[in-house]
Structures are given as C-alpha cells and as structure tokens.
Amino acid sequence: MPASGSDPSGQSARDLTHHLEGLVPELETVLAATASDQELEAVRVQFLGRKGRLSGIMSELPKLAPDQRPLVGQIANQIKSRLQALVDQRLSRLKQDKELKVLTYFDPSLPGLTAWQGSLHPITLVTEEICAAFGSLGFELVEGPELETDFHNFEALNLPPDHPARDMQDTFYITENTLLRTHTSPLQVRTMLRKRPPLAAIAPGKVYRRDSDLTHTPMFHQIEGFLVDTDVSMTDLRGTLTAFVHKIFEPKTVVRFRPSFFPFTEPSAEVDISCMLCGGSGQSAGAPCRVCKQTGWLEILGCGMIDPAVFTAVGYDAELYTGFAFGLGVERVAMLKYGIGDLRMFFENDVRFVSQFA
Ligand code: PHE
C-alpha cells in the first residue's frame, strides 16, 4: 500500500478514496443477486443506510488532515449518488421483470373472453323470417288466443259438430266448448269478424294436438296466411306462395300444387317443393334420397280458396268476396331449411343446439 499522504491515525486520503470507489463494483455484484423489493431494500440499507458501508467510510473523514477533507468529501458525495443511481436502476429492473413474468402467462394477443350471449330459437328465427317475407308482400301480422272456442276453431271453419273431418285433428278439450286450438285457422275467423275486406294477414302461433311420437309433438307451431278481396283467384295464391318459397328456400326450388281437401277451402291443395337434398331426382350420392324418401318432393303446406261457407259464418257476402288461405308447420319448414333430422331437437332446448342458430 503506498504510504503517501498518510496522517497520524494511519488513514490516508488515498485509502479512503480507494474504499469509497470499491463500493461501486461491490454494490453492483450484490444488487445483481437481489430478486425482490425487500432484498433490494436490505442492500440499500447495508450500503447507503445511516449505519451502512458508506457512512462507515465517511466516519473516518475527520481523521484526515483538514486540507484533504474537502476533496475526499466531494468524492464521497459522487460515490453516494452513483450508489443511489445503481439502486434505483435495479428497482426499475425488478419492476420490469415482474411485468414480464405476468406477460409470460398472460398473452395479450389472445382473443378475450366474450360474455355468453343468448341466441334465438330456430323456431323463432323461421317464424320471424316467414312473417317478414309476407310483411314485405303487404300482409298484416295478427295473433290470437291459444285457448279457443269450438266456434272459431271448428264451426265457423265449416266443421259442424258431427263433421267427420274433426277426427283429423285430435283435440285437447278444456270444456265442451273450449279447447286448445288445433290449428291457426281460427285467426282467419277472428280477423274476418273484426275487419272488412280487402284484407291480408299473416298469423303465427302455437297449436295443440293429441299426438306424440317421433314426428309429432303435442304442441307445435303454425303460420296461417290469408287474403280476402273481390276477384281473388287461385293464380294469386300460386303466385304468392311461389314467391314465398323462393324467398325462404333457394330460388331454383320448384313448387308443385297437389289437389287435397280441407273443409274451409274449396278447392284445396297441398304444396310440395322439390327436395333440397337430391334436387328432385330422388337419388342422393347414388342412393335413395333419405330426405324425400326417393319421391323428389317435400310437402310444406296446405292451402286453398276460402270456402263460401266461411264467409257466410263471419257475415261476409260470399257472392262478392273471394280469398285464399294457407297454413304451414314451422317445425317442418325449419327442419327442411336447416337440415335438422329430429323434431325433438326443437323441444329439448339444449343450448349446444340452439346456439348454432345465433
Ligand atoms: N289448418 C290446416 C291444417 O292445420 C292448414 C290449412 C290452412 C289448410 C289454411 C288450408 C288453408 O292442416
């Protein structure tokens, strides 16, 4: 150790300066090993605290020759600032590391968790779509009670009490004269009793029949449409229903009218559309088409020209007015439209099924 500048106590300005400067690399080494704010604070106290290393060396200052003190004091202050700067640096580094650690298990580029959103039931969707299609053709939306009178559900629709066609519809009776409506056709009666022609209405709703198997449920949904005016013909019915089919299904779908019977329409027809799976050929992928059972056609609704007996029942002049009516099953249209093979899916309310229509 060089002895120059030594004083009586044996402490030289050079020794103190040397010790002071030695604190910097020493602190650097110790700081590098700190892993937490607490460890860092302990190190800060150890070097910069009131009884720390720096203070320890500074307490030697009075032992120096008076003329040497200012210079060493100045160096000590510089070292103090450097030590403080190193501690601050380490503090921000630890903070950064903490944030980085969060980033390794939290990937901000991943899509966020979206709130679970409900979806409309396919029956609701198809009902709304069909009602909107007829709405755009000028049909007014009407609704009515599910608990009906015998008069609205049967009598006024040309189905007197002993009419054999009542057997076609297995009715849930509540009393002798009240029942759960078996179809939406009573909406024809209710609307005609309320309004005078010309009128055009679309009427969705739940209907009930005592029927329950793979292809029938005791409650299902129908949509009734009807139009009354002077000079309404079967051609109007054909044109309207063809336009509707092309709106709901593919535009290339072929529409076929097949003679049928309903007590409240004359003539009556059932409407078939060409099978969407096999395109009407009856063959799909070289095998008999399972959707149309090889016929190439799918029945979608019943319709006809409103029977004069219905007009008479609601007080319309049957000589003056003509009109058409149709009724379709919403479940059936939804099954064909979405390719749903099992009717029960609509009623199980499994969210995995329903959410596919969101
Ligand atoms: N109400 C008939 C049914 O439920 C359908 C229909 C409505 C037929 C209107 C002709 C006219 O089967």
Side-chain angles (χ1 to χ4, degrees):
M1 232 344 109
S4 68
S6 60
D7 69 352
S9 74
Q11 276 289 9
S12 72
R14 264 185 82 166
D15 286 345
L16 281 190
T17 308
H18 185 70
H19 284 152
L20 283 170
E21 283 169 347
L23 288 178
V24 175
E26 206 184 322
L27 179 62
E28 277 173 340
T29 312
V30 179
L31 279 180
T34 56
S36 68
D37 292 359
Q38 290 90 330
E39 281 175 34
L40 178 63
E41 175 60 10
V43 169
R44 190 193 65 79
V45 170
Q46 189 196 336
F47 280 79
L48 288 155
R50 218 156 36 83
K51 292 175 179 163
R53 299 281 303 281
L54 184 67
S55 295
I57 299 171
M58 295 284 274
S59 68
E60 302 289 323
L61 209 60
K63 294 176 184 166
L64 290 182
D67 63 324
Q68 289 182 326
R69 286 176 206 162
L71 180 68
V72 178
Q74 208 182 327
I75 293 169
N77 276 332
Q78 284 168 6
I79 295 292
K80 188 181 177 182
S81 311
R82 282 195 63 188
L83 297 180
Q84 188 60 55
L86 285 171
V87 169
D88 291 346
Q89 220 175 43
R90 185 65 188 169
L91 185 67
S92 60
R93 176 63 196 268
L94 285 179
K95 195 173 149 219
Q96 233 175 49
D97 284 357
K98 218 190 282 171
E99 286 167 3
L100 264 170
K101 219 185 250 169
V102 172
L103 288 182
T104 54
Y105 63 78
F106 172 71
D107 181 350
S109 70
L110 285 174
L113 291 176
T114 46
W116 187 79
Q117 218 186 359
S119 45
L120 290 179
H121 194 281
I123 293 300
T124 309
L125 287 174
V126 170
T127 301
E128 284 180 358
E129 191 180 345
I130 293 173
C131 290
F134 281 101
S136 73
L137 294 174
F139 286 65
E140 146 196 32
L141 188 82
V142 299
E143 283 176 305
E146 290 168 34
L147 194 60
E148 265 298 4
T149 66
D150 184 276
F151 172 78
H152 294 91
N153 195 84
F154 289 130
E155 188 104 40
L157 289 166
N158 201 24
L159 279 142
D162 52 0
H163 196 289
R166 286 198 182 199
D167 290 346
M168 280 163 46
Q169 310 193 340
D170 304 291
T171 312
F172 284 113
Y173 278 95
I174 306 299
T175 68
E176 214 181 299
N177 267 313
T178 51
L179 46 90
L180 293 175
R181 67 182 175 198
T182 58
H183 52 177
T184 41
S185 299
L187 269 314
Q188 291 184 38
V189 179
R190 288 185 174 274
T191 307
M192 288 189 237
L193 284 171
R194 189 166 55 76
K195 293 186 78 159
R196 311 295 307 172
L199 62 85
I202 190 83
K206 289 179 164 66
V207 300
Y208 301 84
R209 290 182 198 176
R210 285 175 47 185
D211 218 349
S212 188
D213 58 37
L214 269 183
T215 53
H216 297 87
T217 48
M219 185 281 287
F220 60 102
H221 299 79
Q222 281 191 340
I223 297 178
E224 193 87 2
F226 44 96
L227 180 146
V228 185
D229 202 345
T230 52
D231 302 317
V232 180
S233 73
M234 195 93 185
T235 313
D236 298 312
L237 174 61
R238 281 198 70 134
T240 305
L241 290 181
T242 304
F244 153 70
V245 166
H246 288 162
K247 215 161 196 166
I248 299 295
F249 297 101
E250 299 223 331
K252 64 169 198 281
T253 309
V254 184
V255 183
R256 171 173 92 169
F257 284 67
R258 194 162 34 75
S260 185
F261 172 80
F262 299 101
F264 33 91
T265 46
E266 181 59 33
S268 302
E270 266 164 339
V271 173
D272 299 336
I273 59 173
S274 54
C275 177
M276 54 281 296
L277 186 67
C278 65
S281 70
Q283 298 286 311
S284 166
C289 180
R290 60 184 167 79
V291 171
C292 63
K293 311 252 154 44
Q294 234 180 318
T295 63
W297 296 98
L298 298 161
E299 183 193 319
I300 63 155
L301 59 82
C303 64
M305 301 307 293
I306 296 174
D307 195 292
V310 176
F311 287 146
T312 305
V314 297
Y316 281 7
D317 182 347
E319 294 292 323
L320 182 59
Y321 295 117
T322 45
F324 65 70
F326 58 88
L328 60 84
V330 182
E331 279 80 0
R332 174 140 182 97
V333 172
M335 286 173 87
L336 296 175
K337 191 173 164 65
Y338 295 122
I340 298 165
D342 189 339
L343 178 70
R344 292 169 297 184
M345 299 233 140
F346 291 122
F347 300 95
E348 283 166 356
N349 285 327
D350 186 328
V351 286
R352 290 169 303 178
F353 169 73
V354 178
S355 63
Q356 292 177 70
F357 302 90

